[in-house]
Amino acid sequence: MSLVERQDTFTVDGLALEGGEGSVGDYIALLKPRVMSLVIFTAFVGMMLAPGHLHPVLAVVSILCIAIGAGASGALNMWYDADIDAVMSRTAKRPIPAGKITRQEAFGFGMTLSVGSVLTLGLAVNWFAAAFLAFTIFFYVVVYTMWLKRSTPQNIVIGGAAGAFPPMVAWSCVTGDISIESAVLFLIIFMWTPPHFWALALFKCGDYRKAGVPMLPVVAGETATRNQILIYSLALLPIGVLPWVFGFASAAYGAFAGALGLAFLGLAVQVWRHREGDLARKSAVRLFTFSLFYLFMLFAFLLAESLIVGA
Amino acid sequence: MAEDKTVLPDGVRLTDAQQKRRRGRSIAIACALGALVVLFYVVTIVKMGPEIMSRPL
């Protein structure tokens, strides 16, 4: 005979009251696996391009720690942003607003993984990389999530740095420091982030407005956002080519990055031109989708070259 | 008599779904801890070299 039958979820304002409801899958969802996969990929490329040698076991540990650190940042982001996640259609089904995991559980999970990943990286690889990873987590959680995201439309411009650090962290795992080459990898992702997220914000503007997040289209309007997308896409074109300019990628990469950058710019021009109706939405969706392809292909080309040269 | 593990100390009885999720979490934590033990063992060997295995007793 049961004394008290527990309800599946106890929620107030979409936040779970009871703990111990989450499945393993819910905890994995807290790590933002799709963001994690991009972090793993860019970090791996950074590691492969770095001069020097790292034992394969330590290389795997490095990538694992960077991935766990990124996942921990995601969990802490969901801990802090549960209130706004609950009102946005894109994020309403995340574990906390869905009432599967409490905020306290997400906080504990995120902090444990943050500390664990930084300490493991420090003990196994080097303390410079560990400190850099700790700074990246701090930057994403405190600077972006807790401070910038709710206070300025420049949130993803500055906050984008957090997503751009992983290849630099991976580079420092090999070399123990940072260099102009790793800064170039950072710069590519850093300049790619604003047009990528503003394209998303254009077709999810209602969501951000409802949640009170001051994304550029909400605060400055869609015209200003389209102008900014165009400016950043223009700036991204030469930056994508920089690995060739700095001599750590071939001329073939330079031509490839230039062609992809022109395609990116072309789609940004389409977004700038089509301002109303279904065509405007389609243009923004197309740019958003292509931006993912752009970043993946650029880093994939760099990776392929490093593998061919190393072989 | 064996203790009923589906009843928490506060008298709350877990549903089947809750028991299943708790079991899943426990297995995941056990796997993570086991993986950490293996990881630190392998990293120790890699960083200190195989000589660590042949020290005088």
Short mmCIF file of all heavy atoms in Angstrom, two decimals, chain A residues 1-8 20-24 27 55 57-58 61 64 120 123-125, chain B residues 7-8 10-15 17-18 21-22 24-26 28 36 39-40 42-43 46-47:
data_model
loop_
_atom_site.label_atom_id
_atom_site.label_comp_id
_atom_site.label_asym_id
_atom_site.label_seq_id
_atom_site.Cartn_x
_atom_site.Cartn_y
_atom_site.Cartn_z
N MET A 1 0.85 -1.20 0.00
CA MET A 1 0.00 0.00 0.00
C MET A 1 0.89 1.25 0.00
O MET A 1 1.84 1.34 0.77
CB MET A 1 -0.88 0.01 1.24
CG MET A 1 -1.92 1.10 1.20
SD MET A 1 -2.91 1.11 2.73
CE MET A 1 -1.83 1.94 3.86
N SER A 2 0.60 2.17 -0.84
CA SER A 2 1.43 3.36 -0.88
C SER A 2 0.90 4.40 0.10
O SER A 2 -0.31 4.54 0.27
CB SER A 2 1.46 3.94 -2.30
OG SER A 2 0.19 4.43 -2.64
N LEU A 3 1.84 5.06 0.77
CA LEU A 3 1.44 6.11 1.71
C LEU A 3 1.07 7.39 0.95
O LEU A 3 0.01 7.96 1.16
CB LEU A 3 2.59 6.40 2.68
CG LEU A 3 2.98 5.23 3.57
CD1 LEU A 3 4.24 5.54 4.35
CD2 LEU A 3 1.83 4.91 4.53
N VAL A 4 1.98 7.80 0.12
CA VAL A 4 1.73 8.99 -0.70
C VAL A 4 2.20 8.70 -2.11
O VAL A 4 3.33 8.28 -2.30
CB VAL A 4 2.51 10.22 -0.18
CG1 VAL A 4 2.23 11.43 -1.05
CG2 VAL A 4 2.16 10.52 1.26
N GLU A 5 1.35 8.85 -3.07
CA GLU A 5 1.77 8.70 -4.46
C GLU A 5 2.39 10.01 -4.93
O GLU A 5 1.76 11.06 -4.85
CB GLU A 5 0.56 8.37 -5.35
CG GLU A 5 0.08 6.94 -5.23
CD GLU A 5 1.07 5.92 -5.78
OE1 GLU A 5 1.86 6.28 -6.69
OE2 GLU A 5 1.06 4.78 -5.30
N ARG A 6 3.65 9.93 -5.34
CA ARG A 6 4.28 11.15 -5.83
C ARG A 6 3.71 11.54 -7.17
O ARG A 6 3.48 10.68 -8.02
CB ARG A 6 5.78 10.94 -6.00
CG ARG A 6 6.57 11.30 -4.80
CD ARG A 6 8.03 11.34 -5.17
NE ARG A 6 8.81 11.84 -4.05
CZ ARG A 6 10.10 12.02 -4.10
NH1 ARG A 6 10.75 11.75 -5.19
NH2 ARG A 6 10.76 12.48 -3.08
N GLN A 7 3.52 12.85 -7.35
CA GLN A 7 3.15 13.31 -8.68
C GLN A 7 4.39 13.24 -9.56
O GLN A 7 5.51 13.29 -9.06
CB GLN A 7 2.68 14.77 -8.62
CG GLN A 7 1.32 14.95 -8.02
CD GLN A 7 0.98 16.43 -7.90
OE1 GLN A 7 0.67 16.91 -6.83
NE2 GLN A 7 1.04 17.13 -9.01
N ASP A 8 4.17 13.13 -10.86
CA ASP A 8 5.33 13.08 -11.76
C ASP A 8 6.11 14.38 -11.69
O ASP A 8 7.33 14.38 -11.69
CB ASP A 8 4.88 12.81 -13.19
CG ASP A 8 4.71 11.32 -13.41
OD1 ASP A 8 5.31 10.54 -12.65
OD2 ASP A 8 3.98 10.95 -14.30
N GLY A 20 15.00 14.69 -7.74
CA GLY A 20 15.04 13.26 -8.00
C GLY A 20 14.10 12.75 -9.07
O GLY A 20 13.76 11.57 -9.08
N GLU A 21 13.66 13.64 -9.97
CA GLU A 21 12.73 13.21 -11.01
C GLU A 21 13.43 12.97 -12.35
O GLU A 21 12.86 12.35 -13.23
CB GLU A 21 11.65 14.28 -11.22
CG GLU A 21 10.75 14.51 -10.03
CD GLU A 21 9.75 13.40 -9.83
OE1 GLU A 21 9.51 12.65 -10.79
OE2 GLU A 21 9.22 13.26 -8.71
N GLY A 22 14.62 13.52 -12.48
CA GLY A 22 15.26 13.50 -13.79
C GLY A 22 15.85 12.15 -14.19
O GLY A 22 16.38 11.43 -13.35
N SER A 23 15.73 11.83 -15.46
CA SER A 23 16.37 10.62 -15.99
C SER A 23 17.78 10.97 -16.44
O SER A 23 18.16 12.14 -16.47
CB SER A 23 15.56 10.09 -17.17
OG SER A 23 15.63 11.01 -18.23
N VAL A 24 18.55 9.95 -16.79
CA VAL A 24 19.91 10.18 -17.31
C VAL A 24 19.84 11.07 -18.56
O VAL A 24 20.63 11.98 -18.74
CB VAL A 24 20.61 8.84 -17.62
CG1 VAL A 24 21.96 9.07 -18.28
CG2 VAL A 24 20.79 8.03 -16.34
N TYR A 27 19.59 14.71 -17.74
CA TYR A 27 20.88 15.28 -17.34
C TYR A 27 21.79 15.49 -18.55
O TYR A 27 22.55 16.46 -18.61
CB TYR A 27 21.56 14.40 -16.28
CG TYR A 27 21.01 14.65 -14.90
CD1 TYR A 27 19.92 13.91 -14.42
CD2 TYR A 27 21.51 15.66 -14.10
CE1 TYR A 27 19.38 14.16 -13.17
CE2 TYR A 27 20.98 15.92 -12.85
CZ TYR A 27 19.92 15.17 -12.39
OH TYR A 27 19.38 15.43 -11.16
N HIS A 55 50.61 13.27 -26.06
CA HIS A 55 50.30 11.84 -26.04
C HIS A 55 48.82 11.62 -26.36
O HIS A 55 47.96 12.37 -25.84
CB HIS A 55 50.63 11.27 -24.66
CG HIS A 55 50.62 9.78 -24.60
ND1 HIS A 55 49.44 9.06 -24.60
CD2 HIS A 55 51.62 8.87 -24.58
CE1 HIS A 55 49.72 7.77 -24.57
NE2 HIS A 55 51.05 7.64 -24.55
N VAL A 57 46.58 9.64 -25.34
CA VAL A 57 45.70 9.52 -24.16
C VAL A 57 45.41 10.90 -23.57
O VAL A 57 44.27 11.23 -23.23
CB VAL A 57 46.34 8.60 -23.10
CG1 VAL A 57 45.55 8.66 -21.79
CG2 VAL A 57 46.39 7.17 -23.60
N LEU A 58 46.47 11.72 -23.47
CA LEU A 58 46.28 13.06 -22.91
C LEU A 58 45.46 13.94 -23.86
O LEU A 58 44.72 14.82 -23.41
CB LEU A 58 47.64 13.71 -22.62
CG LEU A 58 48.52 12.96 -21.62
CD1 LEU A 58 49.80 13.72 -21.35
CD2 LEU A 58 47.77 12.70 -20.31
N VAL A 61 41.95 12.99 -23.15
CA VAL A 61 41.55 13.58 -21.86
C VAL A 61 41.28 15.08 -22.03
O VAL A 61 40.31 15.62 -21.50
CB VAL A 61 42.65 13.34 -20.79
CG1 VAL A 61 42.35 14.12 -19.51
CG2 VAL A 61 42.76 11.86 -20.47
N LEU A 64 38.02 15.59 -23.80
CA LEU A 64 36.95 15.20 -22.86
C LEU A 64 36.70 16.32 -21.84
O LEU A 64 35.55 16.69 -21.57
CB LEU A 64 37.35 13.90 -22.15
CG LEU A 64 36.30 13.26 -21.25
CD1 LEU A 64 35.16 12.70 -22.09
CD2 LEU A 64 36.92 12.14 -20.42
N THR A 120 40.77 18.06 -13.55
CA THR A 120 41.30 16.92 -14.32
C THR A 120 42.24 17.42 -15.42
O THR A 120 43.33 16.86 -15.62
CB THR A 120 40.15 16.09 -14.93
OG1 THR A 120 39.27 15.70 -13.88
CG2 THR A 120 40.67 14.85 -15.63
N LEU A 123 45.52 18.57 -13.74
CA LEU A 123 46.35 17.47 -13.25
C LEU A 123 46.91 16.61 -14.39
O LEU A 123 48.05 16.17 -14.34
CB LEU A 123 45.52 16.57 -12.32
CG LEU A 123 45.17 17.18 -10.94
CD1 LEU A 123 44.09 16.35 -10.25
CD2 LEU A 123 46.41 17.27 -10.07
N ALA A 124 46.08 16.40 -15.42
CA ALA A 124 46.50 15.48 -16.48
C ALA A 124 47.30 16.16 -17.58
O ALA A 124 48.20 15.56 -18.17
CB ALA A 124 45.27 14.79 -17.09
N VAL A 125 46.97 17.42 -17.90
CA VAL A 125 47.60 18.05 -19.08
C VAL A 125 48.48 19.23 -18.67
O VAL A 125 49.69 19.09 -18.56
CB VAL A 125 46.53 18.45 -20.11
CG1 VAL A 125 47.17 19.00 -21.39
CG2 VAL A 125 45.65 17.24 -20.46
N VAL B 7 10.32 2.86 -0.68
CA VAL B 7 9.77 3.85 0.26
C VAL B 7 10.92 4.68 0.82
O VAL B 7 11.86 4.14 1.40
CB VAL B 7 9.00 3.16 1.41
CG1 VAL B 7 8.41 4.21 2.35
CG2 VAL B 7 7.90 2.27 0.86
N LEU B 8 10.85 6.00 0.61
CA LEU B 8 11.89 6.88 1.12
C LEU B 8 11.74 7.07 2.62
O LEU B 8 10.68 6.77 3.19
CB LEU B 8 11.79 8.23 0.40
CG LEU B 8 11.97 8.20 -1.12
CD1 LEU B 8 11.89 9.60 -1.70
CD2 LEU B 8 13.30 7.57 -1.50
N ASP B 10 11.11 9.57 4.33
CA ASP B 10 9.98 10.43 4.72
C ASP B 10 8.62 9.78 4.43
O ASP B 10 7.57 10.42 4.53
CB ASP B 10 10.07 11.80 4.03
CG ASP B 10 10.09 11.68 2.51
OD1 ASP B 10 9.94 10.55 2.01
OD2 ASP B 10 10.24 12.70 1.83
N GLY B 11 8.64 8.51 4.10
CA GLY B 11 7.39 7.79 3.89
C GLY B 11 6.82 7.87 2.50
O GLY B 11 5.76 7.31 2.22
N VAL B 12 7.52 8.58 1.61
CA VAL B 12 7.03 8.72 0.24
C VAL B 12 7.38 7.46 -0.55
O VAL B 12 8.53 7.01 -0.53
CB VAL B 12 7.66 9.96 -0.43
CG1 VAL B 12 7.25 10.04 -1.89
CG2 VAL B 12 7.23 11.21 0.30
N ARG B 13 6.38 6.90 -1.23
CA ARG B 13 6.64 5.71 -2.04
C ARG B 13 6.89 6.13 -3.48
O ARG B 13 6.12 6.90 -4.06
CB ARG B 13 5.44 4.77 -1.98
CG ARG B 13 5.66 3.46 -2.76
CD ARG B 13 4.45 2.57 -2.67
NE ARG B 13 4.29 2.00 -1.34
CZ ARG B 13 4.91 0.89 -0.93
NH1 ARG B 13 5.75 0.25 -1.72
NH2 ARG B 13 4.71 0.42 0.29
N LEU B 14 7.97 5.62 -4.05
CA LEU B 14 8.31 5.96 -5.44
C LEU B 14 7.44 5.16 -6.41
O LEU B 14 7.16 3.99 -6.16
CB LEU B 14 9.79 5.66 -5.72
CG LEU B 14 10.82 6.42 -4.91
CD1 LEU B 14 12.22 5.98 -5.31
CD2 LEU B 14 10.68 7.92 -5.12
N THR B 15 7.07 5.81 -7.49
CA THR B 15 6.34 5.10 -8.54
C THR B 15 7.34 4.25 -9.33
O THR B 15 8.56 4.42 -9.19
CB THR B 15 5.66 6.08 -9.51
OG1 THR B 15 6.69 6.83 -10.16
CG2 THR B 15 4.72 7.03 -8.78
N ALA B 17 8.04 4.44 -12.44
CA ALA B 17 8.83 5.31 -13.33
C ALA B 17 9.94 5.99 -12.55
O ALA B 17 11.08 6.11 -13.03
CB ALA B 17 7.92 6.36 -13.98
N GLN B 18 9.63 6.43 -11.33
CA GLN B 18 10.66 7.09 -10.51
C GLN B 18 11.76 6.12 -10.10
O GLN B 18 12.94 6.47 -10.11
CB GLN B 18 10.01 7.70 -9.25
CG GLN B 18 9.19 8.93 -9.57
CD GLN B 18 8.35 9.39 -8.40
OE1 GLN B 18 7.91 8.57 -7.58
NE2 GLN B 18 8.13 10.68 -8.30
N ARG B 21 14.00 5.65 -13.11
CA ARG B 21 14.89 6.78 -13.34
C ARG B 21 16.00 6.83 -12.29
O ARG B 21 17.15 7.13 -12.59
CB ARG B 21 14.09 8.09 -13.33
CG ARG B 21 13.24 8.30 -14.58
CD ARG B 21 12.82 9.75 -14.73
NE ARG B 21 11.88 10.15 -13.70
CZ ARG B 21 10.56 10.09 -13.81
NH1 ARG B 21 10.03 9.64 -14.92
NH2 ARG B 21 9.79 10.48 -12.83
N ARG B 22 15.64 6.51 -11.04
CA ARG B 22 16.66 6.52 -9.98
C ARG B 22 17.71 5.46 -10.26
O ARG B 22 18.90 5.69 -10.09
CB ARG B 22 16.00 6.28 -8.61
CG ARG B 22 17.01 6.41 -7.47
CD ARG B 22 16.35 6.36 -6.13
NE ARG B 22 15.80 5.04 -5.83
CZ ARG B 22 15.37 4.68 -4.62
NH1 ARG B 22 15.40 5.54 -3.62
NH2 ARG B 22 14.88 3.48 -4.41
N GLY B 24 18.53 4.29 -13.17
CA GLY B 24 19.33 4.78 -14.31
C GLY B 24 20.38 5.77 -13.85
O GLY B 24 21.55 5.70 -14.27
N ARG B 25 19.99 6.70 -12.97
CA ARG B 25 20.96 7.69 -12.46
C ARG B 25 22.07 7.00 -11.67
O ARG B 25 23.24 7.35 -11.81
CB ARG B 25 20.25 8.72 -11.57
CG ARG B 25 19.33 9.67 -12.28
CD ARG B 25 19.00 10.87 -11.40
NE ARG B 25 18.40 10.50 -10.13
CZ ARG B 25 17.10 10.35 -9.92
NH1 ARG B 25 16.25 10.54 -10.91
NH2 ARG B 25 16.64 10.03 -8.73
N SER B 26 21.69 6.03 -10.86
CA SER B 26 22.70 5.32 -10.04
C SER B 26 23.70 4.60 -10.93
O SER B 26 24.92 4.64 -10.67
CB SER B 26 22.00 4.31 -9.12
OG SER B 26 21.10 4.98 -8.27
N ALA B 28 24.47 5.36 -14.01
CA ALA B 28 25.28 6.36 -14.70
C ALA B 28 26.37 6.90 -13.79
O ALA B 28 27.53 7.07 -14.22
CB ALA B 28 24.38 7.50 -15.20
N LEU B 36 36.33 7.33 -14.26
CA LEU B 36 37.33 8.24 -13.68
C LEU B 36 38.51 7.48 -13.09
O LEU B 36 39.66 7.90 -13.24
CB LEU B 36 36.68 9.09 -12.58
CG LEU B 36 36.09 10.43 -13.03
CD1 LEU B 36 35.46 11.15 -11.85
CD2 LEU B 36 37.14 11.32 -13.67
N LEU B 39 40.54 6.33 -15.96
CA LEU B 39 41.18 7.49 -16.57
C LEU B 39 42.42 7.92 -15.79
O LEU B 39 43.50 8.10 -16.36
CB LEU B 39 40.16 8.64 -16.62
CG LEU B 39 40.64 9.91 -17.31
CD1 LEU B 39 40.39 9.80 -18.81
CD2 LEU B 39 39.89 11.12 -16.78
N PHE B 40 42.27 8.05 -14.47
CA PHE B 40 43.41 8.50 -13.67
C PHE B 40 44.53 7.45 -13.62
O PHE B 40 45.70 7.80 -13.57
CB PHE B 40 42.95 8.89 -12.26
CG PHE B 40 42.45 10.31 -12.20
CD1 PHE B 40 41.11 10.60 -12.38
CD2 PHE B 40 43.34 11.36 -12.02
CE1 PHE B 40 40.66 11.91 -12.36
CE2 PHE B 40 42.89 12.68 -12.00
CZ PHE B 40 41.53 12.96 -12.17
N VAL B 42 45.26 5.35 -16.12
CA VAL B 42 45.95 5.41 -17.42
C VAL B 42 46.79 6.68 -17.52
O VAL B 42 47.94 6.65 -17.97
CB VAL B 42 44.92 5.33 -18.58
CG1 VAL B 42 45.59 5.54 -19.92
CG2 VAL B 42 44.20 3.99 -18.56
N VAL B 43 46.23 7.81 -17.07
CA VAL B 43 46.98 9.08 -17.14
C VAL B 43 48.24 9.00 -16.28
O VAL B 43 49.30 9.49 -16.67
CB VAL B 43 46.08 10.27 -16.69
CG1 VAL B 43 46.91 11.52 -16.42
CG2 VAL B 43 45.04 10.55 -17.76
N VAL B 46 50.77 7.06 -18.21
CA VAL B 46 51.27 7.85 -19.35
C VAL B 46 52.24 8.92 -18.88
O VAL B 46 53.31 9.13 -19.46
CB VAL B 46 50.08 8.47 -20.12
CG1 VAL B 46 50.56 9.54 -21.09
CG2 VAL B 46 49.32 7.39 -20.88
N LYS B 47 51.87 9.62 -17.79
CA LYS B 47 52.70 10.75 -17.36
C LYS B 47 53.97 10.31 -16.63
O LYS B 47 55.01 10.96 -16.73
CB LYS B 47 51.88 11.67 -16.44
CG LYS B 47 50.89 12.52 -17.22
CD LYS B 47 50.14 13.47 -16.33
CE LYS B 47 50.92 14.69 -15.98
NZ LYS B 47 50.95 15.70 -17.03
#
